[in-house]
Amino acid sequence: MAEVATLRNFIGEYAHNIDKKGRIIIPARFREELDEKIIVAKGLDGCLTVYTMDQWAKLSEQLALLPNTNRQARLYRRNLMAKASECEIDSQGRILIPSVLIKEASLIKECCVIGTGNTIEIWSKEKWDGYNDEHSDDFEEVAESLTEFLL
């Protein structure tokens, strides 16, 4: 019997600053569905992606099935796994993001922590605003192209 994935309800957009030590608050609403430890990894489109430990274990299993002989599989697996980091949520709801990931996502001060349903993304405010500006007009067209998957 196939295992059913646990669906999360990470929704919303929250503005938080990353401090000089590399710590950022994970919104309380998101923390309700997280354990003390999470994985933060390089995401797509210039952000970081936050995974639960269960999600990360499943993703790792899927990545292990990719053929080592496929160049794109090696590239994706290396970039994702090498820069991923296990982070603990402290008593104030913050995580410490490693400097390599801060650099990857160009996190300086102002950040946006967004829910994408099953995962959380951390963006620099500048990149998030640019992404929204560039793609906001595409929303209806994209929705229409995904109709067969959503219904």
Side-chain angles (χ1 to χ4, degrees):
M1 177 183 257
E3 188 175 326
V4 177
T6 302
L7 293 178
R8 307 286 176 183
N9 192 27
F10 298 124
I11 60 172
E13 176 181 337
Y14 302 86
H16 288 287
N17 290 338
I18 189 166
D19 69 17
K20 292 179 182 180
K21 293 181 181 178
R23 298 175 300 192
I24 190 167
I25 292 173
I26 298 296
R29 180 173 160 102
F30 294 167
R31 291 193 311 265
E32 293 170 3
E33 295 195 50
L34 296 171
D35 294 321
E36 290 179 15
K37 291 184 181 182
I38 56 176
I39 299 293
V40 180
K42 180 178 180 174
L44 302 174
D45 302 315
C47 71
L48 302 178
T49 302
V50 175
Y51 299 92
T52 66
M53 297 304 283
D54 287 342
Q55 288 171 324
W56 187 254
K58 289 174 187 164
L59 179 58
S60 296
E61 288 173 12
Q62 292 171 336
L63 290 174
L65 297 175
L66 294 174
N68 286 329
T69 55
N70 182 296
R71 184 176 183 271
Q72 290 178 325
R74 291 191 313 270
L75 176 70
Y76 182 72
R77 187 171 39 233
R78 285 176 183 148
N79 273 279
L80 184 66
M81 301 301 269
K83 295 177 181 170
S85 180
E86 186 177 296
C87 298
E88 288 190 41
I89 301 174
D90 70 15
S91 60
Q92 295 179 19
R94 301 172 302 187
I95 59 170
L96 176 63
I97 301 175
S99 59
V100 68
L101 289 173
I102 289 172
K103 185 177 178 183
E104 277 292 331
S106 304
L107 304 179
I108 298 170
K109 183 172 178 143
E110 293 181 78
C111 298
C112 291
V113 181
I114 67 164
T116 61
N118 214 31
T119 59
I120 299 165
E121 293 179 345
I122 302 171
W123 291 76
S124 75
K125 182 178 180 342
E126 184 179 339
K127 278 189 180 182
W128 177 241
D129 289 346
Y131 182 86
N132 280 322
D133 289 346
E134 184 178 340
H135 298 289
S136 64
D137 291 341
D138 301 334
F139 180 74
E140 289 181 18
E141 183 179 323
V142 169
E144 189 174 308
S145 72
L146 296 174
T147 302
E148 68 182 272
F149 300 106
L150 298 174
L151 299 177

